[in-house]
Amino acid sequence: MIDTTDLIRELIYQIRLGEDSAYEFKSIAIKGKKVEQPHRDSIADELAAFANARGGILVLGVADKTREVEGIARENLDTVDLWLANIASQLVDPPLPIETRLVEIPNRQGEAKPVVWVRIAKSVFVHRSPSGYYHRVGSSKREMSPELLARIFQQRSMVRLIRFDEQLVPQTEKEAIVPELKARFLRGDLPEQTQLKKLYLIGDDESGTTRLTVSGVLLLTPRPADFLSSAYVQCVAYSGTERNAEYQIDAQDCDGSVDEQIRLAFNFVKRNMRTEAVKRPGRIDIPQYDLAAVFEAIVNAVAHRDYAIHGARIRLHLFADRLELSTPGGLPNSLTIDSMEANSITRNETLVNLLSRYYPADPVSKRQNLIERRGEGVPTILAASERLSLRRPLYEQIDHTELKLTIYAASREKNGLLAQFTAEE
């Protein structure tokens, strides 16, 4: 938490020196409860430029050329704050989280003037604003050249394949960690801070502030989507075979730490799938889906999805004849649909390692750990589901940004399936 006294002292000092790579000042002109100057697009460009570089501070209510503390009328502070929040969420893509503070600083005559202090953290994403892609260079914003933009995209997307889950998440703090979730990772006599750093669950940013990593957010916080947009599983069940709201019979957003997301999504399927019975001569129960395969599919989706894709959630849709599981992110590295059954490539190496070492599996999986590192997940999904429905599950890559798995439901009308169950009696 920033100490207000220190913030004001630093701000007064910086105003005296002027703008630099970390500070930008802007006058505010308001007429009739509407901000007339500066233009919304200009502020969006400034915010994105800081986020695309090393982060920085924007101060509203200070003239950039004269460095005069003009202030903002107290009755207009809420108007400016809302205006700013709308710009960050609506004009910057992906939307940009910002931190604002309302503080008073003296002008040259010694009069206290309210200003709006805005902190923009370095982002794990590349942000586009109305005028294009900007970054901060010295005391001004500049449009990025195609070469620089390509390099930054590469730097911030390459880690998606190997170390994105170890990146620090801006604006996270240790206070977000749930003690019960943290306790699962603490072993031995080493200080807990040391242990969590060794596991890449937390780390220190450029200012020395301790932040959670992507893995830390996913494993240690009660709602990861507060920090990583759409880091949850959306489940919907339909009575028919089409995605139609009129036939929706159940829906649930499964959030919480990733193991909780897996548990909730799995229980959603158990709750909504049918189990048909055949009397031949004794009762034979035929579930719609092989639960071990369903569990494996959900674990794979949560563990291997691309958390760097903004606004994309895992979607699990149940229909009368099939289960569809859509996972954000194309297949990593050189993996293809055809090679999935034989090869295993991990996108979130740190997350997968922690899930395989520290989390016991659901009893239905008949395994010791939530994730087994033997590359048997896809073969299990395919073989177990095909035995039950007599139809091989279908993997599809959609526009290289989503992996869709369709598991077909079993049906008691399938004579071959009844013969199989009868033979197993």
Side-chain angles (χ1 to χ4, degrees):
M1 196 71 176
I2 297 175
D3 182 87
T4 303
T5 303
D6 291 342
L7 185 155
I8 293 174
R9 186 182 297 115
E10 178 186 320
L11 189 49
I12 292 172
Y13 175 77
Q14 191 65 46
I15 291 172
R16 190 162 59 243
L17 294 178
E19 296 177 337
D20 58 20
S21 62
Y23 267 88
E24 175 74 19
F25 304 130
K26 290 291 182 185
S27 297
I28 290 286
I30 298 178
K31 184 177 181 180
K33 290 296 180 181
K34 182 179 179 181
V35 177
E36 288 197 328
Q37 292 292 334
H39 196 277
R40 283 161 47 95
D41 291 357
S42 173
I43 292 299
D45 291 340
E46 297 287 359
L47 296 177
F50 275 128
N52 288 336
R54 300 181 64 85
I57 306 295
L58 171 66
V59 184
L60 302 176
V62 178
D64 54 342
K65 290 183 171 58
T66 65
R67 302 199 292 274
E68 178 66 35
V69 179
E70 300 171 340
I72 302 170
R74 286 179 174 80
E75 62 270 21
N76 293 327
L77 287 172
D78 287 343
T79 298
V80 173
D81 197 49
L82 179 61
W83 172 78
L84 191 62
N86 287 338
I87 290 173
S89 62
Q90 297 173 8
L91 297 186
V92 181
D93 183 30
L96 186 62
I98 58 175
E99 177 185 356
T100 62
R101 301 286 291 273
L102 306 179
V103 296
E104 285 189 327
I105 56 176
N107 62 11
R108 292 171 183 170
Q109 290 72 44
E111 302 169 322
K113 295 287 186 178
V115 299
V116 177
W117 177 94
V118 187
R119 179 164 66 180
I120 306 98
K122 177 182 178 181
S123 181
V124 295
F125 304 105
V126 182
H127 296 267
R128 190 181 192 281
S129 50
S131 300
Y133 288 97
Y134 281 81
H135 68 143
R136 188 80 176 182
V137 179
S139 60
S140 63
K141 64 181 183 295
R142 292 185 186 176
E143 188 171 9
M144 288 188 269
S145 66
E147 294 79 9
L148 175 60
L149 182 60
R151 189 162 64 249
I152 291 179
F153 265 117
Q154 184 181 36
Q155 289 171 351
R156 300 193 185 186
S157 63
M158 275 179 61
V159 292
R160 300 180 190 183
L161 302 180
I162 49 177
R163 288 185 178 176
F164 180 80
D165 51 356
E166 294 179 8
Q167 301 302 297
L168 300 180
V169 179
Q171 300 191 2
T172 56
E173 297 180 347
K174 290 187 295 183
E175 288 72 21
I177 297 174
V178 175
E180 294 78 9
L181 299 178
K182 174 181 65 179
R184 297 185 283 195
F185 299 96
L186 302 179
R187 298 174 179 174
D189 298 326
L190 286 175
E192 66 174 48
Q193 184 101 341
T194 301
Q195 294 190 54
L196 296 180
K197 283 185 177 180
K198 283 179 174 291
L199 296 174
Y200 298 103
L201 290 166
I202 62 173
D204 296 333
D205 64 14
E206 295 94 335
S207 67
T209 303
T210 299
R211 306 290 185 192
L212 277 71
T213 64
V214 171
S215 291
V217 166
L218 295 172
L219 296 171
L220 300 179
T221 68
R223 192 173 184 275
D226 288 340
F227 305 103
L228 299 170
S229 176
S230 304
Y232 64 94
V233 182
Q234 180 195 69
C235 298
V236 184
Y238 301 92
S239 60
T241 59
E242 298 178 359
R243 191 174 290 114
N244 188 324
E246 293 184 10
Y247 302 111
Q248 182 176 310
I249 56 175
D250 195 6
Q252 181 180 2
D253 285 344
C254 304
D255 55 17
S257 58
V258 290
D259 58 307
E260 179 70 1
Q261 293 181 27
I262 292 169
R263 185 187 67 82
L264 292 173
F266 179 70
N267 287 338
F268 181 91
V269 176
K270 287 177 62 178
R271 181 170 74 243
N272 285 287
M273 78 174 191
R274 299 190 308 271
T275 300
E276 302 192 38
V278 178
K279 298 179 180 178
R280 193 174 180 157
R283 178 186 176 91
I284 302 174
D285 289 333
I286 305 176
Q288 264 191 312
Y289 305 102
D290 183 281
L291 288 178
V294 170
F295 181 78
E296 197 78 52
I298 295 171
V299 169
N300 280 356
V302 171
H304 299 296
R305 67 153 287 181
D306 192 340
Y307 288 97
I309 298 179
H310 176 82
R313 61 200 177 279
I314 297 171
R315 292 174 288 121
L316 190 159
H317 291 172
L318 274 174
F319 300 94
D321 61 346
R322 69 195 186 280
L323 180 157
E324 292 181 354
L325 185 62
S326 299
T327 306
L331 291 170
N333 209 348
S334 59
L335 201 63
T336 65
I337 295 292
D338 293 335
S339 65
M340 286 179 63
E341 190 171 2
N343 299 315
S344 176
I345 297 177
T346 298
R347 170 177 276 116
N348 304 304
E349 187 68 35
T350 297
L351 176 64
V352 170
N353 280 338
L354 294 173
L355 289 173
S356 66
R357 290 172 56 194
Y358 292 89
Y359 289 80
D362 188 285
V364 73
S365 68
K366 300 178 182 179
R367 298 176 311 184
Q368 184 176 355
N369 299 102
L370 191 62
I371 290 181
E372 296 287 358
R373 302 303 303 271
R374 298 193 297 267
E376 297 177 358
V378 172
T380 296
I381 295 168
L382 296 176
S385 298
E386 189 172 9
R387 275 198 305 269
L388 188 61
S389 67
L390 301 185
R391 294 186 67 184
R392 189 174 178 81
L394 177 65
Y395 277 103
E396 301 172 273
Q397 186 161 276
I398 311 298
D399 295 331
H400 299 283
T401 60
E402 185 175 74
L403 182 66
K404 178 180 174 183
L405 167 65
T406 301
I407 300 178
Y408 299 100
S411 171
R412 67 186 182 90
E413 279 77 22
K414 292 182 180 292
N415 294 331
L417 182 62
L418 293 181
Q420 172 190 327
F421 271 86
T422 303
E424 293 177 355
E425 277 282 291

